[in-house]
Amino acid sequence: MTPEDIDHLAALLKTRSGLILGSDKTYLIESRLAPVARREGFANVSALLTALRSKRDEKLMTVVTDAMTTNETFFFRDKAPFDQFKSDVLPALARARINGDIKIWCAACSTGQEPYSLAMLMDEMRMMYPRVNLDILATDISERCLEKAQAGLYTQFEVQRGLPIQMMVKHFEKIDEMWRISPKIRQSVRYKKLNLLDDLRLIGRQDVVYCRNVLIYFDLETKRKVLEQIANLLPDDGYLFLGAAETVLGITDSFKPMQGMRGLYVKNQNSQSSARPLRVGAA
Ligand SMILES: C[S@@+](CC[C@H](N)C(=O)[O-])C[C@H]1O[C@@H](n2cnc3c(N)ncnc32)[C@H](O)[C@@H]1O
């Protein structure tokens, strides 16, 4: 593959998904795009990249962008974001939301393990919070991931990663070599395709946003734009969860870290940024 092919691909990915190609780019391109090249009938990755440069093929650009995303995820990833939800976030919001409606948005849900972890957690907490109605919206740019998430079908390896055994027994059924999540849990998550680079106002007000392990792939300016758009969707008492390697510090002052809660952020009421608080109940 030529430097021009790589530059063209890098520009395409940055515009379409925000992804910045790192230093291991040749290896990454080769390993991610070889299966795409085969499937789409190209002799090799170089031929695929040349075609990408020479004609504006919308379908090819979408397939290539999707293939270049990193979709690593697992149930109850990092544990803390789910423990903190249970110990602090849910009790606080259950007290504050008189009608019991709490909206959660998993902003880069990959194959669904993150939203399903929250749905299973809520099922466990149901007796303590009989009036709470958790509305979980899960979005991702990758149609391939969303299809898998919606199917709720996981391999033995996937259900063994992070999922407590009693939850696996309670919420999964073995179908041949795969494990299928129960209809009850599956139906408690709504999926939608969404690019975080787009206008996020259509998502509407959210009480809690999980935007985990996706900002790491973006440049500073894109991180700032996404975070400030998220801040605009949250009411003053809303919460933001980021991944273990992510932060708002040095990027935006719309959020501040919650004391003693790694990865959990609240809105910074003294923010000078463009974030405008939404009224609770606003659509
Ligand atoms: C590493 S996964 C993180 C999954 C989950 N949040 C977690 O922490 O386990 C990153 C996800 O971000 C998605 N993604 C990448 N760029 C995106 C964009 N511009 N808009 C929406 N989703 C994006 C990818 O498709 C991928 O599924």
Side-chain angles (χ1 to χ4, degrees):
M1 66 188 94
T2 65
E4 289 77 21
D5 285 341
I6 297 180
D7 289 350
H8 181 266
L9 176 68
L12 178 91
L13 296 174
K14 163 101 171 42
T15 323
R16 291 179 78 98
S17 74
L19 173 72
I20 302 294
L21 275 182
S23 49
D24 58 346
K25 53 190 166 200
T26 318
Y27 167 76
L28 197 72
I29 295 169
E30 195 57 56
S31 61
R32 297 273 170 88
L33 295 187
V36 179
R38 263 196 308 278
R39 256 197 331 267
E40 300 292 322
F42 294 99
N44 50 37
V45 172
S46 292
L48 165 68
L49 293 183
T50 307
L52 210 54
R53 272 176 74 195
S54 53
K55 57 177 179 190
R56 223 196 124 71
D57 182 336
E58 185 58 40
K59 180 178 162 270
L60 196 60
M61 289 192 283
T62 304
V63 172
V64 164
T65 308
D66 190 324
M68 290 302 294
T69 58
T70 299
N71 311 122
E72 164 77 356
T73 188
F74 48 94
F75 290 103
F76 296 95
R77 183 176 188 175
D78 299 337
K79 198 169 171 299
F82 303 94
D83 289 348
Q84 291 160 354
F85 179 77
K86 189 171 162 176
S87 64
D88 291 75
V89 173
L90 180 59
L93 288 174
R95 273 193 305 275
R97 302 289 178 269
I98 293 161
N99 62 4
D101 289 340
I102 299 176
K103 284 171 155 290
I104 301 200
W105 174 32
C106 292
C109 66
S110 186
T111 43
Q113 285 89 330
E114 187 179 83
Y116 287 142
S117 297
L118 286 164
M120 287 186 277
L121 194 60
M122 192 61 226
D123 184 74
E124 207 173 64
M125 309 290 286
R126 176 55 53 217
M127 299 279 264
M128 277 176 77
Y129 298 97
R131 285 182 41 259
V132 165
N133 170 35
L134 209 62
D135 176 17
I136 308 175
L137 170 67
T139 64
D140 201 282
I141 196 175
S142 164
E143 280 176 23
R144 183 175 43 85
C145 285
L146 290 169
E147 270 170 29
K148 179 172 163 79
Q150 257 157 337
L153 271 176
Y154 297 96
T155 63
Q156 180 78 35
F157 175 68
E158 287 166 332
V159 289
Q160 275 171 344
R161 287 183 86 193
L163 187 65
I165 185 84
Q166 66 278 18
M167 282 201 183
M168 183 179 128
V169 171
K170 183 167 180 200
H171 297 295
F172 288 78
E173 179 194 9
K174 191 145 197 273
I175 311 270
D176 301 325
E177 293 308 299
M178 303 293 279
W179 291 85
R180 186 165 64 194
I181 204 154
S182 71
K184 180 180 168 195
I185 298 296
R186 187 154 40 87
Q187 283 155 16
S188 56
V189 179
R190 286 185 294 130
Y191 287 100
K192 200 177 161 96
K193 182 175 173 180
L194 182 94
N195 187 342
L196 288 171
L197 305 192
D198 289 348
D199 186 344
L200 301 182
R201 280 176 298 187
L202 62 100
I203 288 296
R205 180 186 70 82
Q206 299 294 325
D207 296 300
V208 186
V209 176
Y210 281 72
C211 184
R212 306 190 64 242
N213 303 303
V214 62
L215 296 181
I216 32 169
Y217 302 106
F218 298 166
D219 65 12
L220 190 76
E221 198 40 44
T222 310
K223 287 179 193 177
R224 177 178 300 126
K225 280 189 188 147
V226 174
L227 285 168
E228 291 182 354
Q229 285 215 71
I230 291 175
N232 283 332
L233 303 179
L234 286 171
D236 287 349
D237 62 351
Y239 297 88
L240 167 70
F241 285 94
L242 294 182
E246 294 162 331
T247 182
V248 299
L249 301 175
I251 302 173
T252 175
D253 66 355
S254 298
F255 290 99
K256 59 180 181 190
M258 223 176 129
Q259 282 293 312
M261 299 266 170
R262 207 181 140 78
L264 180 55
Y265 298 83
V266 287
K267 284 194 41 169
N268 188 359
Q269 309 303 338
N270 304 316
S271 166
Q272 302 296 306
S273 82
S274 60
R276 293 173 307 279
L278 278 179
R279 275 177 301 108
V280 173

